Amino acid sequence: MTGTSFNATLALIRDTFREAFARRIFWGFFGCCSALLLFLIFILRVDVVQGALATVSIFGNSLPSANVENLVEQTQSVIAMVLYFAGMALSVFASAGLVSAVFEPGRIELLLSKPVSRTHLLLGRYAGNVAVVAANILYLVVCSWIIFGIKTGVWGAGFLISSLCTIFVFSVLLAVIVLVGVIWDSAAVAIMVTFAIMIITPILAQKATIERLLSSEWSRDVVRVLYYTLPKISEISVIIRHLILNQPVESWMPVWSTALFGVGVLSLGIWRFNKRSF
Amino acid sequence: MSAFAIETEGLTRVYRNRWANTELRAVDDVSLQVPEGSTFGLLGANGAGKTTFVKMLLSSVHPTSGTARIFGRNSSEATSRQSVGYLPENHRFPTYMTGWGMLDFYGALSGMDSATRRRKIPELLTLVGLDERAWNTRLGKYSKGMLQRVGLGQAMIHAPRLLVLDEPSDGVDPVGRKQIRDVLQGLEQQGVTIFLNSHLLAEVELFCHDVAIIQKGKLSLAGSVKELTSSGGYRVTAFEVPEALISELATSAKAHSVEHNLLDLLFNTREQANAAVDKLRASACEIESLGATRSTLEEVFIRTISEKKA
């Protein structure tokens, strides 16, 4: 990347942050994450004696003691799942507006008049959007990981890796938002399509059961095609849990097939953006 | 290196509606050359195709056929826009940006490094007449005139060789207009090509050396302002002309009137005007004035549009 193109990329990323700040999206996320961190700092009290958990108390009430590592990993996996599903839904909701705003008449013409290729413009905005969400996810995960580490002495890397998986799945869903945004200029349609994917894919994850229930072969084929084509949000959540709980991951297929979907959809979005007149 | 800042060949944009089976030729086979260093005005009624033409030039609309070149480079190449500054009509600058932030952002997109941007931004904001207090105010709080000024600033930030301005003084008060015109005149003296798309014909006449009129997507007329407005005829005025001579001269004049003993004659050709002067002097009438009359650009524009409609 040349200096000029690096400058342009940085400008696009910075601009996305500025817009996220102005729309209070960033601060909304940041506030939620900070509230959860404060909860961990002040409310959760863990006393460890010689590596074993002496007491765990929340709001001053003692909980049954258990193995420290197990308790920390279980708690981290709950945080990771909340972040994965609820955080993802919020991120999709917030990002749809950030993407479609770029295509507004009167704004897009000026952007396109600059000596930056359309692909570069779209990818710069995409990267900025991923960075906004990633900054908040990393803030929450890294800070809570440090808090857990200091309070319990458990420093497992699985929780940190899980945040990368969450960012990865968000970036795939953002590709869908970009494609829908480029085609229809509508944040609402982008949210609807992405939420539809988020709802359908966990159902498709029950592929074996669905196939047993279907009578015709062609309908089973449809389910199979949908399953292998669409991102595997539900399966990746299982992988995240396994990573945090230090359990072996049976198959990485959900990750790479989701990555393929993301690359395909983003490429389609870039192609459409390059073809479109504004 | 091309001698033309802008060069289009058969540039056409057709919008097709497959459902209604209709098509609209927004720009139809426009071939235009704008020499480097010139000040060029593109005129046309609403919906004539001016904005589509400009958008094709800057690659936000893809042409159906034909080519557009900027300083010899195909306008579809991103690098061709390195030397172009653009102020769109009906712009919607991001309201969360400040005046400074906007110039910084578009400057970075134009390939400027941060040190150069920091140096140039205050110079430009001052040049376009933005008060220092407004530099760090969000654009959402700017008036229309202030937005035009900051928009002009962003178009100039990377010192382009070609400025494409769509209604640059829209919403700006008369003092501001004069200020903008002065800025543009300064750029013209530096050799910057200025392509102006405006409804304000008086402004175009005042500033541009060359114009083109576009009507229903087609190029109707192109030429220098001086040539286009000089075809008004020749006027002779004289005092106390005898009735008989008035009647004689009126036969060759295209218009005449008498007011307070002052005869006003309008001729199509210089020869007719000269012949009238000879007759007036032979009758010892005093010539008050003699000269070529000029049409205003507005008259030329309306005449062109009317001829086309007829």
Side-chain angles (χ1 to χ4, degrees):
Chain A
M1 190 181 276
T2 63
T4 305
S5 116
F6 181 70
N7 272 345
T9 309
L10 265 187
L12 288 163
I13 293 174
R14 258 203 323 265
D15 180 54
T16 317
F17 267 88
R18 239 182 257 145
E19 188 160 3
F21 289 155
R23 288 174 178 237
R24 313 279 191 271
I25 292 166
F26 187 91
W27 301 117
F29 274 126
F30 189 77
C32 292
C33 296
S34 301
L36 193 58
L37 289 173
L38 286 173
F39 171 84
L40 291 175
I41 291 169
F42 296 110
I43 309 298
L44 179 71
R45 192 172 162 206
V46 182
D47 294 322
V48 180
V49 178
Q50 290 180 342
L53 200 64
T55 59
V56 178
S57 60
I58 294 176
F59 295 114
N61 299 319
S62 290
L63 298 175
S65 61
N67 175 279
V68 184
E69 201 169 325
N70 187 34
L71 182 90
V72 169
E73 285 170 357
Q74 292 292 348
T75 313
Q76 286 179 337
S77 94
V78 169
I79 293 173
M81 286 305 108
V82 169
L83 193 63
Y84 187 75
F85 288 106
M88 189 87 71
L90 281 175
S91 306
V92 165
F93 196 76
S95 304
L98 282 179
V99 171
S100 60
V102 176
F103 309 122
E104 280 177 359
R107 182 170 175 185
I108 185 70
E109 295 91 337
L110 190 53
L111 281 172
L112 294 177
S113 75
K114 301 298 166 192
V116 179
S117 72
R118 288 187 178 208
T119 303
H120 191 166
L121 275 177
L122 198 66
L123 285 180
R125 188 70 178 180
Y126 175 83
N129 223 321
V130 171
V132 167
V133 171
N136 275 293
I137 289 175
L138 290 174
Y139 164 65
L140 174 63
V141 171
V142 172
C143 288
S144 53
W145 180 74
I146 291 169
I147 292 166
F148 277 117
I150 290 170
K151 287 201 170 198
T152 65
V154 177
W155 296 97
F159 188 43
L160 290 179
I161 297 169
S162 77
S163 65
L164 300 180
C165 291
T166 307
I167 294 166
F168 159 70
V169 174
F170 169 74
S171 63
V172 170
L173 293 177
L174 186 63
V176 176
I177 293 172
V178 166
L179 175 64
V180 177
V182 168
I183 296 173
W184 285 296
D185 288 346
S186 165
V189 178
I191 291 170
M192 280 159 63
V193 172
T194 315
F195 275 18
I197 289 173
M198 289 173 79
I199 292 165
I200 289 169
T201 51
I203 298 169
L204 288 171
Q206 309 303 316
K207 182 171 66 79
T209 314
I210 297 171
E211 280 181 19
R212 271 203 309 276
L213 294 171
L214 293 171
S215 54
S216 62
E217 191 53 35
W218 71 265
S219 54
R220 284 191 209 104
D221 287 341
V222 169
V223 170
R224 277 183 215 122
V225 167
L226 284 174
Y227 175 78
Y228 287 108
T229 311
L230 293 174
K232 283 142 199 80
I233 294 171
S234 182
E235 287 88 332
I236 293 176
S237 76
V238 175
I239 290 176
I240 289 175
R241 245 184 99 74
H242 282 208
L243 285 172
I244 295 171
L245 299 176
N246 281 320
Q247 292 168 353
V249 175
E250 285 170 19
S251 164
W252 290 97
M253 184 278 284
V255 175
W256 63 254
S257 64
T258 302
L260 274 180
F261 172 84
V263 170
V265 168
L266 190 60
S267 306
L268 209 58
I270 291 169
W271 173 81
R272 182 70 197 119
F273 186 55
N274 275 292
K275 288 280 163 202
R276 216 185 132 176
S277 287
F278 289 92
Chain B
M1 176 83 60
S2 170
F4 298 109
I6 297 170
E7 198 176 3
T8 67
E9 262 179 48
L11 202 62
T12 303
R13 173 69 203 193
V14 182
Y15 291 100
R16 291 193 177 89
N17 184 337
R18 289 192 172 86
W19 298 105
N21 199 23
T22 56
E23 67 171 39
L24 170 73
R25 300 185 84 81
V27 174
D28 193 359
D29 195 25
V30 172
S31 298
L32 190 69
Q33 291 174 329
V34 177
E36 190 170 355
S38 64
T39 48
F40 196 96
L42 185 65
L43 309 174
N46 291 333
K50 304 188 298 290
T51 300
T52 308
F53 178 82
V54 168
K55 282 183 175 183
M56 281 197 282
L57 217 54
L58 297 167
S59 215
S60 64
V61 167
H62 297 300
T64 308
S65 61
T67 55
R69 293 182 174 278
I70 295 172
F71 296 111
R73 280 186 164 172
N74 194 315
S75 70
S76 62
E77 294 169 24
T79 47
S80 72
R81 299 189 289 277
Q82 187 70 57
S83 334
V84 184
Y86 175 47
L87 173 64
E89 187 191 13
N90 299 326
H91 46 68
R92 202 178 293 175
F93 302 137
T95 51
Y96 54 85
M97 283 184 181
T98 60
W100 183 291
M102 181 173 151
L103 264 63
D104 187 58
F105 173 61
Y106 288 112
L109 284 188
S110 302
M112 295 171 73
D113 61 68
S114 60
T116 316
R117 295 200 304 269
R118 268 199 303 276
R119 184 174 50 78
K120 283 209 74 177
I121 290 170
E123 282 173 21
L124 272 171
L125 289 173
T126 309
L127 183 71
V128 296
L130 264 187
D131 193 275
E132 203 170 329
R133 281 169 300 179
W135 294 3
N136 290 309
T137 303
R138 285 192 174 191
L139 299 183
K141 292 184 176 171
Y142 275 31
S143 67
K144 181 79 169 70
M146 288 164 84
L147 286 173
Q148 286 299 106
R149 286 165 192 263
V150 79
L152 184 62
Q154 71 74 29
M156 292 160 54
I157 182 79
H158 57 298
R161 289 160 62 204
L162 167 65
L163 260 184
V164 179
L165 307 172
D166 212 339
E167 304 292 351
S169 52
D170 188 22
V172 183
D173 58 52
V175 178
R177 277 183 192 176
K178 168 82 171 67
Q179 212 170 0
I180 288 177
R181 209 163 44 236
D182 290 344
V183 171
L184 296 182
Q185 269 159 357
L187 290 171
E188 186 200 356
Q189 282 160 15
Q190 291 167 32
V192 175
T193 311
I194 297 169
F195 188 91
L196 203 63
N197 189 357
S198 177
H199 287 105
L200 299 173
L201 298 176
E203 190 176 85
V204 173
E205 188 172 358
L206 213 57
F207 181 68
C208 294
H209 295 152
D210 299 286
V211 291
I213 297 175
I214 193 165
Q215 166 77 345
K216 289 183 180 167
K218 281 186 175 291
L219 197 64
S220 296
L221 189 72
S224 77
V225 173
K226 207 173 172 183
E227 282 169 14
L228 294 174
T229 56
S230 68
S231 55
Y234 295 86
R235 168 165 275 136
V236 178
T237 55
F239 266 117
E240 293 174 352
V241 182
E243 281 297 324
L245 188 55
I246 292 175
S247 306
E248 189 188 336
L249 293 173
T251 53
S252 58
K254 68 173 177 181
H256 79 283
S257 65
V258 183
E259 210 169 309
H260 305 297
N261 277 337
L262 181 73
L263 172 66
D264 187 353
L265 294 159
L266 191 63
F267 297 98
N268 281 325
T269 65
R270 192 172 24 192
E271 290 71 27
Q272 289 173 329
N274 277 319
V277 170
D278 291 343
K279 286 177 183 169
L280 287 164
R281 290 303 298 140
S283 303
C285 299
E286 279 189 47
I287 305 291
E288 174 69 14
S289 68
L290 167 66
T293 60
R294 303 184 76 82
S295 306
T296 62
L297 194 57
E298 189 175 75
E299 284 164 349
V300 173
F301 177 74
I302 290 170
R303 202 161 51 227
T304 308
I305 300 289
S306 310
E307 279 169 11
K308 199 80 184 172
K309 274 182 184 168

